[in-house]
Amino acid sequence: MKIEVLTLFPNMFSAVMSESMMWKARDRGLLDFSACDIRDHSGDKHRKVDDSPYGGGGGMILKADVLLRAIDALEPAADTPVILMSPQGRTLTHAVALALSRRVRLILVCGHYEGVDERVRDLAITDEISIGDYVLTGGELAAMVLIDAVVRLIPGVLGAEGAEQRDSYADGLLEGPHYTRPPEVRGLTAPEVLTSGHHAEVEHWRRRQSLRRTWQRRPDLLEKADLSADDREYLAGLAAGEAD
Ligand code: ADE
C-alpha cells in the first residue's frame, strides 16, 4: 500500500513512521509512506498557505488554490481515496479501517487552523474521517491514528499469523484478559485453564471472557455481534446473575 500525507508539519510523522510495526511494514515493502509539505505548493515567496475567512470571524483558513495544487501534484487516480482528516468526518471504526486496508493507495489531507476552504472538499476530497468527537489542533495526529489502525490490518504486517483477527472489535466483541509468566503475581494466580493444555477449553474460556467483558463494558456491541446459541445462553446466565 502507498500512503501519501499532505501536511504543514511533515516532521511530525518521522518518529511514528520509523518505529515498531509501521517501520516493519515499510521495511518489508508492505507500505510506501511519504509526508509531503503543503507549503511547497504555496507559489508565494513567503510560503503563505492560509488567509483570513471571507465574511470575517476568527482564525485562518487553508487556501484552496494551494491545497488543490498539492493534491494535483500527487496525481491521484480516479479511484484513489483523497481523505480529509476532520472532526466533521465519519467516525473511524474497525470496519472503516478494514475497508481502507484493502486499498492500494490512500492520500490523507491534514487540515490545520480553523479549517480548509470549502472548495477543496467540493473539488478534490472523496472522503472525510474523524477519529472521535473532540477537536485536535490539526489532522496530523488523527492521520497517524488512521495509518496505524489501517496498516496493521494489511496481511503480513503483524508477525503472529492472523493476530489481527483476535483483536477487540474484529469479531464485534472486546478481547478478554491475557496472562503470561509468572503463574502468581502478588497473590494473584493466572486462570488454571490457560495452562491446562486443553486447546478447546482454552478457546471456550476465551470466548466467554470476551463475551463477559463486552457485556460489562460495551453492551451496545452485543446487538450487532455474531453470537452462537452457546454464547446467548452464557449471556442470559450473566444477565440473570447466574454465570460468572
Ligand atoms: N482534526 C481535528 N480534529 C480531528 C478529529 N477529531 N479527527 C480527525 N481530524 C481532526
Side-chain angles (χ1 to χ4, degrees):
M1 177 185 287
K2 183 170 181 166
I3 299 183
E4 292 148 301
V5 172
L6 286 172
T7 170
L8 293 169
F9 303 98
N11 292 337
M12 282 181 74
F13 291 82
S14 312
V16 169
M17 299 309 297
S18 308
E19 301 279 356
S20 185
M21 284 300 161
M22 296 306 106
W23 175 251
K24 279 193 188 141
R26 296 173 77 183
D27 197 42
R28 289 180 190 154
L30 297 169
L31 172 65
D32 174 2
F33 172 81
S34 57
C36 318
D37 194 338
I38 295 168
R39 253 177 235 288
D40 293 345
H41 301 274
S42 71
D44 171 282
K45 71 173 182 214
H46 303 294
R47 292 171 60 81
K48 188 173 163 63
V49 293
D50 59 333
D51 210 333
S52 49
Y54 279 138
M60 296 294 272
I61 307 297
L62 259 175
K63 286 158 64 67
D65 53 342
V66 174
L67 205 41
L68 289 169
R69 273 198 297 274
I71 295 170
D72 287 349
L74 298 177
E75 300 183 354
D79 64 348
T80 305
V82 182
I83 304 170
L84 178 66
M85 303 311 302
S86 135
Q88 299 174 16
R90 62 192 178 117
T91 308
L92 179 64
T93 61
H94 178 76
V96 171
L98 191 62
L100 293 177
S101 75
R102 293 176 176 151
R103 309 299 296 236
V104 291
R105 185 180 178 201
L106 303 175
I107 294 176
L108 306 181
V109 180
C110 302
H112 230 89
Y113 311 121
E114 276 306 296
V116 304
D117 187 305
E118 190 64 18
R119 290 165 292 185
V120 177
R121 279 193 180 88
D122 297 340
L123 293 167
I125 298 299
T126 65
D127 196 355
E128 193 163 334
I129 294 182
S130 165
I131 62 161
D133 291 344
Y134 41 82
V135 179
L136 304 166
T137 54
E140 285 75 13
L141 289 169
M144 286 185 252
V145 168
L146 182 146
I147 292 168
D148 189 289
V150 167
V151 170
R152 65 191 293 287
L153 297 175
I154 299 173
V157 169
L158 293 190
E161 201 53 53
E164 69 279 8
Q165 276 148 31
R166 289 195 302 274
D167 285 345
S168 286
Y169 300 110
D171 62 359
L173 300 175
L174 302 184
E175 271 188 281
H178 300 290
Y179 298 86
T180 186
R181 276 176 278 271
E184 191 193 313
V185 176
R186 300 188 183 185
L188 293 185
T189 51
E192 247 171 63
V193 60
L194 296 178
T195 49
S196 66
H198 293 294
H199 185 69
E201 277 180 34
V202 170
E203 284 311 309
H204 188 244
W205 181 87
R206 285 199 173 133
R207 179 75 185 174
R208 293 199 156 186
Q209 291 294 316
S210 166
L211 288 165
R212 188 158 82 102
R213 190 152 279 192
T214 309
W215 178 75
Q216 287 172 327
R217 300 185 183 188
R218 291 292 307 276
D220 57 300
L221 295 177
L222 292 172
E223 282 157 32
K224 285 197 207 145
D226 189 8
L227 301 175
S228 68
D230 185 62
D231 292 340
R232 290 183 192 283
E233 196 182 316
Y234 176 65
L235 288 167
L238 282 178
E242 290 157 9
D244 59 13

